[in-house]
Amino acid sequence: MAEKPSVLIIGGLGYIGRFLALHIHQNDLASEVRLVDKVLPQLAWLAPEFDEACAGSKFMQADASREQALARIFDRADGKQWDYVFNCGGETRYSQEDEVYKVRSLSLSLAVAKEAAKRNVKCFVELSTGMVYKPDSAPSKEQDKLKPWSRIAVYKLQAEEELAKIEGLNLVIVRLAHVYGAYASQWVATALCMARVYKALESEMKWLWTKDLRTNTVHIHDVTRALWAIAGWYTAGKEKWDEKSMGKVPTFNVVDKGVTTQGVIADIIGQVFGIQTGFQGQLISTFAKLNLDSVVDDVNDELLGPWAELLSEAGITRPGPLTPFMEKELLKDTDLSMDGTRLEEVVGFKYEKPEISRELVEEVIESYKKMKWWP
C-alpha cells in the first residue's frame, strides 16, 4: 500500500477548504494535512464537527499572498514536499473593488502556484468559477467561449491563464457552479434569508427576470469528493486525458446533474417556507436592467430592517455569516449554466447528490438552526 498523500489546503477555513479538510479527516485519506488561512479558527464560524479536522496542529495562520510567508507555509518538519496543494483561498465576496481581487485572489494564486512549481508538488488544484463562461442557457463545456461576468470571475480567469504559463506546475483547474450545503453563507443562503423575511412580512417573494434563468448548483459534499478524485486521477497519470482535443491543462466543471434554474429554486423555497413565489413581469425586469443599482438598494432596504428584527426577537446576538443582503453582481440577468460530463467520463466521478431538492435545502436550514444563526 503506497503512503497516503500529504495535503496542503490554502484558504483552509473558507467554506470549501473546511469541508475538504473534513472529508479528508473523516475518511482518513492523507498522511499529513495543513490548513493555512488568514483567519483564526475561533473567528471562522466553524461548526463543532470541524474542530478536529481544522484546528490544533493542523492549522497555520498566514497570509499566503505574501511572499515572505511562503517558506513557512510550504516547509514540512520531515523536509519532504507536499503531494497535493489545493488553492481554496481568495476573495469570495462579490462587488468588491478590482484591487481587492487583484491582491487577494490573483496575487495569492500566483504566489502559491510558483512556490508549488519550485517544490515540484505532484498536483496543484486551482479553484475557479463557472462565471468565467460566456453566459448562455445551453450548458457550457470546458472548452466553450469564455467571457467572465462577475469581478471574481475576471480575476479567476486571469489566474487560470497566468498559472498555465508557470513552468513545471502540475496544474488542474476546477470550475464550480453555485456551491450549497450545510452552513453555506452565499447564494442559496441569501435566497433563504430573503424568504424568511418575506414569510414574516406575509408577502410574496418575487424574482427578477424569468423562471428559466439558469443558476446551476453543486452540493459541497460532491465538491470535496470531486476535488479529491481529481487530485488522485492527476497523480495516477491523467488517464483518458487527450491534450490534443482537451487542451494542455486539465480543466473540469463541477456541477450537479440537475438543471437548476430560478424557477426550481423558487418552487423549493415556496414549499419550504409556505410562501407565494413568482416572477416580476417583463416591464419591471426591463426597468431593473436599466436601474440595477437602485433596484438592489431598494430590495436591501426593504429586507435588512425586518431581518434584524427577526434576529432580535429570536434572541440571536451573534447572527453568524447569514444575511438577506443581495449583491448586485448576483442579480444580473446572466445564466450560470454548465456541463459536468467531462468529470464523469474522464475521472469516472459519480455525483451522490445529483440535484438540489427540498430535503437538501431543509438540511441547510437545519444546519443554521444548530448554530443558532436562524431566526
Side-chain angles (χ1 to χ4, degrees):
M1 174 85 187
E3 200 190 331
K4 291 171 185 170
S6 56
V7 182
L8 174 63
I9 306 175
I10 307 291
L13 295 186
Y15 187 64
I16 294 170
R18 67 179 66 175
F19 270 98
L20 178 58
L22 186 66
H23 176 69
I24 292 168
H25 175 72
Q26 287 174 335
N27 297 286
D28 193 17
L29 298 172
S31 57
E32 186 185 343
V33 179
R34 178 179 294 165
L35 280 68
V36 176
D37 209 292
K38 285 195 310 217
V39 178
L40 284 168
Q42 297 82 330
L43 303 173
W45 306 107
L46 286 177
E49 65 262 36
F50 294 98
D51 284 354
E52 268 183 68
C54 295
S57 60
K58 290 183 177 164
F59 175 76
M60 175 187 284
Q61 188 185 24
D63 180 351
S65 65
R66 299 171 73 89
E67 236 157 80
Q68 52 273 45
L70 292 172
R72 188 164 72 91
I73 289 170
F74 276 82
D75 287 348
R76 294 174 63 196
D78 62 6
K80 291 183 184 166
Q81 301 301 347
W82 298 99
D83 294 315
Y84 301 169
V85 176
F86 294 93
N87 180 21
C88 304
E91 183 53 73
T92 54
R93 293 174 305 170
Y94 291 94
S95 316
Q96 305 294 307
E97 294 301 317
D98 286 333
E99 201 46 45
V100 172
Y101 297 115
K102 229 176 246 165
V103 173
R104 294 194 187 153
S105 294
L106 183 58
S107 303
L108 170 88
S109 292
L110 285 171
V112 291
K114 282 175 181 162
E115 192 68 24
K118 202 163 78 185
R119 293 170 180 256
N120 205 11
V121 165
K122 289 179 190 162
C123 181
F124 182 89
V125 182
E126 172 74 6
L127 267 55
S128 188
T129 167
M131 292 178 192
V132 297
Y133 294 111
K134 184 172 187 286
D136 192 347
S137 59
S140 298
K141 291 189 154 95
E142 286 83 354
Q143 266 132 309
D144 286 350
K145 201 170 162 49
L146 301 172
K147 189 188 177 189
W149 52 270
S150 70
R151 277 190 186 164
I152 286 180
V154 168
Y155 288 96
K156 278 294 181 191
L157 184 56
Q158 277 184 33
E160 285 188 23
E161 289 163 350
E162 291 302 314
L163 264 48
K165 297 174 193 162
I166 296 174
E167 276 299 306
L169 180 64
N170 294 312
L171 173 65
V172 185
I173 287 162
V174 172
R175 294 177 182 150
L176 298 166
H178 285 302
V179 182
Y180 73 100
Y183 319 113
S185 64
Q186 281 191 322
W187 195 69
V188 167
T190 307
L192 295 177
C193 294
M194 291 170 84
R196 178 67 188 89
V197 175
Y198 284 114
K199 183 176 173 65
L201 298 174
E202 295 180 359
S203 56
E204 183 179 4
M205 181 169 176
K206 281 203 155 178
W207 304 56
L208 281 172
W209 326 127
T210 66
K211 68 179 193 334
D212 301 320
L213 188 73
R214 303 290 175 107
T215 53
N216 283 186
T217 47
V218 62
H219 195 281
I220 185 65
H221 169 78
D222 282 332
V223 172
T224 55
R225 291 176 55 249
L227 291 172
W228 190 258
I230 288 166
W233 164 86
Y234 188 97
T235 48
K238 300 190 282 194
E239 198 191 346
K240 294 189 189 164
W241 188 261
D242 176 33
E243 249 181 55
K244 259 203 198 77
S245 65
M246 299 177 181
K248 190 166 161 284
V249 175
T251 303
F252 295 98
N253 288 340
V254 177
V255 51
D256 65 25
K257 300 165 80 67
V259 182
T260 313
T261 59
Q262 286 206 135
V264 168
I265 299 289
D267 285 348
I268 290 174
I269 279 178
Q271 291 168 31
V272 170
F273 289 91
I275 57 174
Q276 290 294 116
T277 60
F279 288 83
Q280 304 284 10
Q282 189 61 48
L283 191 70
I284 291 184
S285 287
T286 306
F287 171 82
K289 229 181 207 143
L290 302 171
N291 305 277
L292 200 54
D293 283 3
S294 68
V295 169
V296 174
D297 289 345
D298 288 350
V299 172
N300 286 331
D301 285 348
E302 182 194 347
L303 297 178
L304 290 172
W307 174 253
E309 281 164 29
L310 284 170
L311 292 175
S312 143
E313 282 163 22
I316 297 172
T317 46
R318 291 185 75 225
L322 302 184
T323 168
F325 183 83
M326 177 47 92
E327 293 288 1
K328 190 176 78 218
E329 283 195 304
L330 281 183
L331 207 59
K332 285 181 179 167
D333 184 12
T334 37
D335 289 285
L336 179 65
S337 182
M338 300 162 69
D339 179 319
T341 336
R342 177 186 279 180
L343 178 65
E344 298 182 276
E345 288 176 351
V346 175
V347 178
F349 183 76
K350 298 253 187 305
Y351 288 90
E352 288 181 357
K353 302 195 187 288
E355 59 185 356
I356 195 166
S357 64
R358 177 179 175 167
E359 292 69 38
L360 290 173
V361 168
E362 283 170 341
E363 280 174 19
V364 176
I365 295 172
E366 283 309 309
S367 75
Y368 299 158
K369 289 179 178 168
K370 191 174 101 180
M371 293 296 281
K372 303 200 172 21
W373 292 347
W374 190 254

